[in-house]
Amino acid sequence: MTPVEVLTKIKDFLISDGMIATDEAAQSYIDNRASEWDITEDIISEVGGDELVYVIVEELKNEVEKQLTTGTITDKTQYFI
């Protein structure tokens, strides 16, 4: 799996889970966060592409849940705006 494939899987999850409504919005979000995640071929080969997708998606879910719980946001899609 390549870094682009990992990012595509994350984007697809965000859309399928209803966190982001459109492909364009999901791509914009991914473009903004990709540098933070620093997904490289070395990391993918060490951790595994699917596992890396899982870890990032779970972290995003945790961030959203925390903000929902604290009342910072009232809808999970607000986190991604």
Side-chain angles (χ1 to χ4, degrees), residues 23-58:
D23 187 66
E24 295 80 17
Q27 187 61 54
S28 176
Y29 180 78
I30 293 295
D31 292 344
N32 289 333
R33 293 287 304 260
S35 64
E36 292 176 38
W37 297 328
D38 194 28
I39 299 169
T40 64
E41 299 219 3
D42 290 340
I43 292 171
I44 294 168
S45 67
E46 177 124 358
V47 176
D50 289 331
E51 183 64 25
L52 188 56
V53 169
Y54 174 78
V55 167
I56 291 172
V57 164
E58 286 302 308

Side-chain angles (χ1 to χ4, degrees), residues 7 10-11 14 19-20 22-37 56 59-61 63-64 77-81:
L7 293 172
I10 294 168
K11 179 182 78 170
L14 293 172
M19 294 176 143
I20 298 180
T22 67
D23 187 66
E24 295 80 17
Q27 187 61 54
S28 176
Y29 180 78
I30 293 295
D31 292 344
N32 289 333
R33 293 287 304 260
S35 64
E36 292 176 38
W37 297 328
I56 291 172
E59 181 58 28
L60 290 174
K61 285 180 175 181
E63 288 176 23
V64 168
T77 59
Q78 290 177 313
Y79 178 80
F80 298 97
I81 294 176

